[in-house]
Amino acid sequence: MDQETKRRFMERIEEKSAGLPWYVVEYIDKRKRMLSPASLLNYCHDYIIFFDWILAEGFYNGNRKDIPLHILEKLTRQQVEDFLSFLEFKLQNSDLTINRKLSALKSLFHYLQNIAETQELEPYLNRNVMAKIELNNVKEDQETIANRMEGKILRGDEYELFRQFVAHDYGEINKDNKKLFNFHQRNCERDTAIISLILGSGLRLSEIVGLDVDDIDFQKFTARVIRKGNKEQFVYFSEQAMIDLQEYIRIRSSRYELDKNFRPLFVAAPMGPKGTTRRLTARSVEKLVEKYAKAFGKPALSVHKLRHSFATRYQMENNDIPKLRRQLGHTSVQTTMIYTHLTNTELKDAVKKMDERKNDVDDE
């Protein structure tokens, strides 16, 4: 994540935390060195939902930021279970989302009970109700997750077909729509470079939008990214991605009217009365992928599914989980193991073809 993006995240974190109790603000401040800005912002959203629920339930009459510590200490296990039911049925959160929000609360309560202390060396909380609450048992093994992904990623020839669709075919099928055609003509090199880079590297959305021109090493075919936990890593990408990146770089400055010192790699067209150019946002990249995916006939495709597509292809061609784990930036090898299940279909088809060839020989 570049400094400008990080600055914007921190501004939003400060804005959100300003409406939270002082002890939550203290906790967030302590976590800045250990969590990414994106994770901290998610924590702020989760805490706002929790403390607003406390007010809605009438456990405290006043402002959210004034909720005292003793309110948390007096919460019963049943009341917390009611909050989780609120997340599930009122907000329609999935088990995974509820687990994430519950983990954020567990982390906060753990800090208040076991780490933070008053001037009298007493903990902020003597009783931690969140320690009594278990996370949801999400009953999905790796094969189940892999099967759910099936049909939502690119396979075989679809990698190049989708890339070609973004680069050329989308404009052709929209020739009669002047607005769509002109927009595609203006941005096709940029959009192709983005799609090609994800399919050729497996980079995350945040890593793609955070890239600066200086992060690309055109000699070594690597991109410098800041991964989860603020870890710097140089990630390899494909030769086709390099070709598409170079084509985009060739037209980037003139097409988007850039000052030579403007460093963000992927940019949006100038907007506003002053024609200000800016870094392409994560949501903009999501929307452009959604647009092309729908027109291509695979509306379930997303940035994350393109990342899965890369990983599936890599595992099928290389069968090297440790290297794939590093390429994707996974902290746990279990996450990477999903792709061994995703390739089962291809392996089955390969064996089937071997049998068919054997039968043909036998017939001869």
Side-chain angles (χ1 to χ4, degrees), residues 162-175 181 184-185 188 192:
F162 185 59
R163 181 197 154 275
Q164 182 63 28
F165 182 81
V166 175
H168 181 263
D169 298 349
Y170 181 86
E172 287 296 306
I173 66 174
N174 286 291
K175 269 188 173 180
F181 179 76
H184 179 259
Q185 290 297 106
C188 62
T192 304

Side-chain angles (χ1 to χ4, degrees), residues 145-146 148-150 152-155 159 198-199 201-204 300-316 324 328 330 335-336 338-340 342-343 346:
I145 296 171
R148 194 176 69 245
M149 282 185 209
E150 192 77 33
K152 297 180 180 180
I153 61 176
L154 298 174
R155 300 298 198 125
Y159 293 90
I198 300 172
L199 286 176
S201 67
L203 288 176
R204 296 181 176 92
L301 271 181
S302 63
V303 177
H304 203 55
K305 295 301 187 299
L306 294 180
R307 175 172 153 89
H308 287 318
S309 299
F310 162 82
T312 304
R313 185 179 188 179
Y314 184 100
Q315 175 60 14
M316 184 61 194
L324 178 58
L328 297 176
H330 288 160
T335 306
T336 318
I338 291 170
Y339 301 104
T340 63
L342 275 166
T343 55
E346 285 92 337

Side-chain angles (χ1 to χ4, degrees), residues 1-5 197 201 203 205-227 231-237 242 245 249 252 262-266 279:
M1 182 180 293
D2 68 287
Q3 290 301 314
E4 176 60 23
T5 304
L197 185 55
S201 67
L203 288 176
L205 174 60
S206 61
E207 294 164 352
I208 289 288
V209 299
L211 286 171
D212 289 340
V213 174
D214 300 335
D215 292 329
I216 304 297
D217 188 324
F218 291 94
Q219 301 300 318
K220 297 181 179 178
F221 287 51
T222 61
R224 173 189 172 274
V225 297
I226 305 299
R227 314 221 88 152
K231 296 178 181 178
E232 179 184 84
Q233 186 178 330
F234 292 86
V235 180
Y236 290 97
F237 54 84
M242 174 64 81
L245 272 172
I249 290 291
R252 173 179 168 275
F262 192 77
R263 305 321 295 161
L265 178 59
F266 294 117
R279 183 187 296 273

Side-chain angles (χ1 to χ4, degrees), residues 61-321:
N61 294 318
N63 296 321
R64 183 203 305 140
K65 65 180 300 181
D66 297 325
I67 296 175
L69 279 163
H70 71 80
I71 297 295
L72 305 187
E73 199 159 46
K74 291 181 179 179
L75 286 174
T76 67
R77 176 171 179 157
Q78 183 57 54
Q79 288 168 339
V80 176
E81 294 287 356
D82 291 343
F83 170 68
L84 300 182
S85 296
F86 164 78
L87 294 178
E88 180 178 2
F89 299 110
K90 187 69 175 180
L91 299 189
Q92 297 184 328
N93 287 168
S94 68
D95 285 348
L96 286 172
T97 301
I98 293 172
N99 278 354
R100 181 180 62 77
K101 292 178 177 177
L102 181 54
S103 293
L105 288 169
K106 280 178 168 288
S107 182
L108 171 64
F109 276 65
H110 173 78
Y111 170 80
L112 297 176
Q113 182 188 40
N114 299 302
I115 299 175
E117 57 186 18
T118 67
Q119 291 183 346
E120 291 75 29
L121 304 182
E122 294 293 328
Y124 285 2
L125 287 185
N126 288 304
R127 177 178 170 274
N128 178 1
V129 65
M130 291 298 168
K132 303 175 183 289
I133 309 299
E134 296 180 357
L135 296 171
N136 286 317
N137 183 19
V138 181
K139 297 179 181 179
E140 285 191 329
D141 58 19
Q142 292 164 350
E143 188 164 4
T144 301
I145 296 171
N147 289 336
R148 194 176 69 245
M149 282 185 209
E150 192 77 33
K152 297 180 180 180
I153 61 176
L154 298 174
R155 300 298 198 125
D157 294 340
E158 288 182 326
Y159 293 90
E160 178 55 27
L161 288 173
F162 185 59
R163 181 197 154 275
Q164 182 63 28
F165 182 81
V166 175
H168 181 263
D169 298 349
Y170 181 86
E172 287 296 306
I173 66 174
N174 286 291
K175 269 188 173 180
D176 296 333
N177 188 321
K178 191 173 182 179
K179 182 178 179 181
L180 290 180
F181 179 76
N182 289 339
F183 192 81
H184 179 259
Q185 290 297 106
R186 182 177 182 84
N187 296 300
C188 62
E189 290 91 352
R190 181 199 67 186
D191 295 354
T192 304
I194 291 172
I195 297 298
S196 193
L197 185 55
I198 300 172
L199 286 176
S201 67
L203 288 176
R204 296 181 176 92
L205 174 60
S206 61
E207 294 164 352
I208 289 288
V209 299
L211 286 171
D212 289 340
V213 174
D214 300 335
D215 292 329
I216 304 297
D217 188 324
F218 291 94
Q219 301 300 318
K220 297 181 179 178
F221 287 51
T222 61
R224 173 189 172 274
V225 297
I226 305 299
R227 314 221 88 152
K228 289 185 175 180
N230 291 321
K231 296 178 181 178
E232 179 184 84
Q233 186 178 330
F234 292 86
V235 180
Y236 290 97
F237 54 84
S238 68
E239 183 177 356
Q240 184 61 63
M242 174 64 81
I243 293 171
D244 292 332
L245 272 172
Q246 289 176 325
E247 182 62 19
Y248 165 64
I249 290 291
R250 185 181 65 81
I251 59 90
R252 173 179 168 275
S253 295
S254 58
R255 182 77 57 81
Y256 295 96
E257 304 171 27
L258 300 177
D259 180 273
K260 65 179 181 179
N261 296 319
F262 192 77
R263 305 321 295 161
L265 178 59
F266 294 117
V267 298
M271 290 184 65
K274 295 183 179 179
T276 304
T277 304
R278 66 195 188 286
R279 183 187 296 273
L280 205 62
T281 65
R283 183 56 190 144
S284 295
V285 174
E286 287 176 330
K287 287 173 69 175
L288 74 85
V289 171
E290 290 168 4
K291 175 184 72 175
Y292 290 121
K294 184 177 180 181
F296 184 68
K298 295 200 76 164
L301 271 181
S302 63
V303 177
H304 203 55
K305 295 301 187 299
L306 294 180
R307 175 172 153 89
H308 287 318
S309 299
F310 162 82
T312 304
R313 185 179 188 179
Y314 184 100
Q315 175 60 14
M316 184 61 194
E317 294 180 358
N318 298 285
N319 191 27
D320 193 329
I321 284 294

